[in-house]
Amino acid sequence: MNYGDIVLQVGVLLFALSFHEMAHAWAAYRLGDTTAKDEGRLTMNPIVHVDPIMTVLFPAILIVLQSSVIFGAAKPVPVNTRNLRNPKRDHMWIAAAGPASNVILATAAIIVVNLVWSPQPDSALENVLGDWVYINLVLATFNMIPLHPLDGSWILSRFLSGNAATAYASLRPYGFLILIFLMYTGVLWQVINPVMRFASMFLP
């Protein structure tokens, strides 16, 4: 992979992350919480969504160390559940808005690539759209994993109560470590790869 491809993929990733975080902020605003909007997160500007550690430093260290797994994250969108009409339900919808936004972007790219597809292989536009589909679906699937701090954890929490909710909440401090373990053991890709194979059925 040349530097041009890397720059292109980073650009697609930043757009996808920004759209993802803006979707969280938009959903929170629509459900009554203006915290993210007041902090300037209801925007596509990637600068406001960048976390110096998780978006820049941590992935850079993994790249320098030639890690087989590259992991990073944007700055979480703040949500004040006291402003929500139905905190548990609405927080679920706010969490779901992020992955849903990436599915929308991936679906749009699949439609476009089918409209503009030509028999000439490796055209620049098709490569960009292919990266667009791949990156957005990886983000959507990854974030739906029900482990803190991912969006899937808030979605699952909506349906838990009593002892199950308490036991699940006790895992919250270890969520990041569990994710790293799942990535390095390859379990994570056993979840993501079926989604990618399904999406490839709709690509020329």
Side-chain angles (χ1 to χ4, degrees), residues 140-151:
T141 308
F142 177 73
N143 275 283
M144 284 300 292
I145 294 172
L147 286 171
H148 184 76
L150 302 180
D151 300 324

Side-chain angles (χ1 to χ4, degrees), residues 124-196:
L125 179 58
E126 286 169 27
N127 288 338
V128 171
L129 291 172
D131 288 341
W132 192 282
V133 172
Y134 178 81
I135 288 172
N136 276 286
L137 286 182
V138 168
L139 280 175
T141 308
F142 177 73
N143 275 283
M144 284 300 292
I145 294 172
L147 286 171
H148 184 76
L150 302 180
D151 300 324
S153 67
W154 299 110
I155 295 172
L156 178 58
S157 295
R158 167 69 176 86
F159 302 99
L160 298 178
S161 60
N163 291 335
T166 301
Y168 184 64
S170 69
L171 293 175
R172 188 174 296 274
Y174 311 105
F176 184 76
L177 294 177
I178 297 173
L179 282 173
I180 295 296
F181 173 79
L182 293 178
M183 284 188 283
Y184 273 98
T185 57
V187 173
L188 179 64
W189 296 106
Q190 298 303 313
V191 176
I192 293 176
N193 285 337
V195 176
M196 304 311 298

